[in-house]
Amino acid sequence: MDKLRLTRTALPVAALTLFPLLVACGTESAGDSGSGTVGSGTNTTKSSVTGVRWAVDSLTVDGRTAQAPDGAYLKIDDKGEVEGNYGCNTFGSTATFKDDGIDFEVARSTEIACGDVSMKFEETFARALDTGTFTPEKTNGKLTLSTTEGDTVKLSEEKPAELYGTKWQVESLLDHDVASSLPEGADGKAWFTLDEKAGTIQGSAGCNEVSAKATVSDGKITLGPPRTTRRMCSDSLMAVERSVLELFKGTVEYRVDHRSITLTSGNNTGIAAVADK
């Protein structure tokens, strides 16, 4: 497979939505399996696999199993176009359905910086998708993709997250068209939840707990003055906290996309978060 350049750089946010279209070169179609079974000896059909957003639960390669990071998913449309996320970086590819299973073409991905654990999972996942034909087996909302060598990807059907009541885990900081991953050591530290009945937002700004009034209307959230604890943390956590607290100066625009959300202020800075599993 082509070497993926997964470097610690940032990429324009607008590019993140384009990667499902940036697939490997070639003219192969998605195959002619139609609604028939995919892979010998299975009862799984092409139509039961496509059109579903599958959360990646775990990956087993060479007998070693790794749990997937939050936000990792895979989705194949009925034409074989693939979009997904390795756990940090978004990717796009093409899937070909054959009588013996599913083949994935070489993927192209974004290059957002990730933590060491996420990077290792991404590289293994990307390599696994390009190494062979996968036999799918779907049962009770679960999907297992297996190769003849014994490698497996376990996935679960993923429902869209609700704006209210979801624990949104902050993954990156936004500055105009650029998304930057959180500093090392800050992963999983910043999060928030919106309470519709109470009309509040609460969570962690990275170091300190934070809460405020929150009024949601017409794609916008008006935030009241934040109430926070007064702990001091590492420089990386405090830097994240300053960026998060900048949002509590008025009204932010929000956009929910399945299980991800962005909050953007009037000066085009903000945060991107994913629903906690």
Side-chain angles (χ1 to χ4, degrees):
M1 130 177 221
D2 293 347
K3 183 178 181 181
L4 296 172
R5 294 193 305 114
L6 298 173
T7 59
R8 293 184 177 274
T9 60
L11 194 74
V13 174
L16 299 181
T17 61
L18 299 179
F19 269 89
L21 304 179
L22 300 180
V23 298
C25 298
T27 58
E28 283 190 276
S29 68
D32 300 319
S33 295
S35 60
T37 58
V38 181
S40 58
T42 76
N43 295 317
T44 301
T45 63
K46 174 183 174 182
S47 61
S48 69
V49 173
T50 58
V52 177
R53 176 157 162 156
W54 298 101
V56 181
D57 296 326
S58 66
L59 171 68
T60 301
V61 175
D62 296 332
R64 299 178 181 177
T65 299
Q67 299 303 307
D70 289 346
Y73 77 91
L74 178 71
K75 184 176 181 180
I76 311 171
D77 70 15
D78 59 3
K79 296 182 180 179
E81 297 296 328
V82 178
E83 64 175 272
N85 188 288
Y86 292 126
C88 176
N89 281 285
T90 302
F91 69 91
S93 183
T94 301
T96 302
F97 290 83
K98 301 177 179 180
D99 290 339
D100 59 346
I102 306 172
D103 280 342
F104 294 93
E105 297 300 312
V106 177
R108 295 292 182 265
S109 82
T110 55
E111 298 178 356
I112 299 174
C114 309
D116 291 341
V117 174
S118 292
M119 288 297 292
K120 184 175 181 179
F121 184 89
E122 292 200 1
E123 291 167 356
T124 304
F125 189 19
R127 193 160 49 244
L129 288 182
D130 189 46
T131 55
T133 299
F134 286 88
T135 299
E137 187 69 41
K138 180 186 176 184
T139 55
N140 299 323
K142 301 285 186 178
L143 178 67
T144 301
L145 302 177
S146 305
T147 67
T148 56
E149 289 78 20
D151 296 341
T152 61
V153 183
K154 292 187 178 294
L155 311 100
S156 301
E157 187 171 352
E158 188 177 61
K159 303 297 184 183
E162 299 289 339
L163 173 64
Y164 296 104
T166 297
K167 183 178 180 179
W168 296 104
Q169 202 80 47
V170 178
E171 282 204 327
S172 58
L173 306 178
L174 311 179
D175 186 357
H176 291 77
D177 290 335
V178 177
S180 302
S181 62
L182 300 185
E184 187 173 354
D187 291 345
K189 302 295 185 181
W191 61 272
F192 63 91
T193 298
L194 288 159
D195 186 321
E196 182 177 18
K197 185 176 181 179
T200 60
I201 184 172
Q202 60 182 3
S204 169
C207 172
N208 286 282
E209 296 175 3
V210 60
S211 63
K213 290 291 185 181
T215 303
V216 180
S217 178
D218 299 326
K220 296 181 180 180
I221 305 175
T222 301
L223 299 172
R227 297 182 295 276
T228 69
T229 53
R230 298 294 181 183
R231 291 192 298 271
M232 291 298 295
C233 299
S234 65
D235 290 344
S236 61
L237 289 180
M238 296 305 293
V240 172
E241 183 154 302
R242 285 191 293 271
S243 296
V244 172
L245 292 179
E246 278 292 313
L247 298 174
F248 288 82
K249 292 185 176 181
T251 299
V252 296
E253 294 186 357
Y254 76 90
R255 180 176 181 271
V256 177
D257 181 11
H258 201 76
R259 295 186 65 82
S260 63
I261 188 172
T262 56
L263 303 182
T264 311
S265 66
N267 62 0
N268 290 320
T269 61
I271 58 175
V274 297
D276 193 34
K277 286 185 177 180

